[in-house]
Amino acid sequence: MVEKLLESVKKFFFLAFLVIAIPASIPIACAGDITVDVNGSEKYTSIQAAINESSNGDNIIVLSGVYIENLVIDKPLTIVSKTGDPTDVTIKAPLPDVVAVEIDANNTVFKGITITSYYKLGQDYGIVIMDNENVTVKNNIFTGCKKGITIIRSYNCTIEDNYMEGKKGGKGIDLYLAGNNLIRRNTITKSGGAIWEDYCEIGNVYHENNLSENWNGITLIHDSDNSLVYDNLIQGNENDGISISWADNNVIVNNWIIENGQGINIYDSKHNNISSNVVMDNTY
């Protein structure tokens, strides 16, 4: 019964994701490669300078090194470290009250890079995606960011295979008025809320994330309805493993929720399907 339910829910979310994603996809032709090297072997020593001179659909390939800059990506680009290893390329944001990487374009890919702060007290925001679709953020490292990835009014984005070590009182992945996003295989630790969903009525998918040693694991709050949460490891969080408040019609299935302050905390919410989870060794 549970397996059939999970399979049908997966198909529903996949079809919904596909139907919305197809019209939003824009064919991009004549993409070129632009190489950036902070050590001066290439034309560009700054990632932002390469972005400014690029055309829609270009690939910006970043060679190993430390880049001290805040980025604004305002056109559809792929920005990737040459080796694909995020420990080889670091963006040290020099301005703590400005977003380290601001993504303002649909169909953008950002992968294989470490984001941290030049400022000794840390970076307020790692990546912010606002009013966009089909953005992919993959295989990055976030350290010292109060908020790792913030998604606002954005849809059909994929956030996967990232590592985030946050700050107390902050959030790992923060979604606001966002829907049909896929959040999978991320590791989030030492944040205030590992995954926080607020006013997301359409729903999002959370799959195979490792959320450990945070204050809260997954929080669905304020009309955050219709999300699918499955196959996640939620362990050793100080407060709630999963918290559902004023949120309806979510599916919570096949998760490991262990050694948290409280396993699953539900407040003023209805029609949530919670089944086949392992909930054990929590204080409550």
Side-chain angles (χ1 to χ4, degrees), residues 70-82:
N70 293 72
L71 302 184
V72 177
I73 305 170
D74 56 0
K75 62 193 76 169
L77 300 168
T78 294
I79 299 177
V80 58
S81 61
K82 183 175 182 179

Side-chain angles (χ1 to χ4, degrees), residues 127-140:
I127 289 179
V128 172
I129 304 166
M130 184 180 295
D131 298 316
N132 291 293
E133 297 186 20
N134 301 318
V135 173
T136 297
V137 178
K138 181 174 182 177
N139 190 33
N140 303 287

